[in-house]
Amino acid sequence: MLTASDRVSRGEAEDTSGNLLEELLRGEGFEVERRVVPDEQDQIAAALRDLVSRSQLVLTTGGTGLTPRDVTPEATREVLDRDAPGIAQAIRADSIAKTPHGLLSRGLAGVAGATLVVNLPGSPGGVRDGFAVLQPALAHALKLLANERTEHKQT
């Protein structure tokens, strides 16, 4: 997982959204490697490439808004081979239903090689809610990317 934040990377702020995301992922049985990088597109893209090279899943927190320093989607775009727009749309729709600020999110989701990459907002609430949207389809998505046999169940 990757947190993009200048203040966190300089030790000026606690990575509360990253802490929560790590807790949620560990609760689902994932091993977690954390990276905190400055809000610099090239550094974010380099960290994403490295994580993608040895992970099935890379989730990011932060850098998805409208400020000039919010460049996580641009860095992610450099790394993705294919988009998974339904994931980003579902996360945004859930967020918009809770706050009008959800309209401002520019997070992406997609596939790089056989790795699922998803941008989550930088707030703990955005991480919690975004992960809750992603979680029901996550195991199935990872099996598909690993070319494993899956069963299609409707709920």
Side-chain angles (χ1 to χ4, degrees), residues 18-51:
N19 294 340
L20 175 59
L21 183 55
E22 180 175 358
E23 180 182 318
L24 292 168
L25 287 166
R26 288 193 189 280
E28 293 290 322
F30 287 95
E31 292 181 28
V32 176
E33 178 181 339
R34 286 178 72 168
R35 298 276 181 89
V36 178
V37 297
D39 291 323
E40 297 292 336
Q41 186 172 335
D42 59 338
Q43 291 183 45
I44 296 167
L48 285 170
R49 283 187 189 96
D50 181 53
L51 290 167

Side-chain angles (χ1 to χ4, degrees), residues 60-67 70-73 92 104-108 119-122:
T60 69
T61 66
T64 61
L66 296 179
T67 74
D70 290 330
V71 294
T72 300
R92 230 178 325 278
L104 307 179
S105 178
R106 302 179 312 110
L108 300 177
N119 299 152
L120 296 172

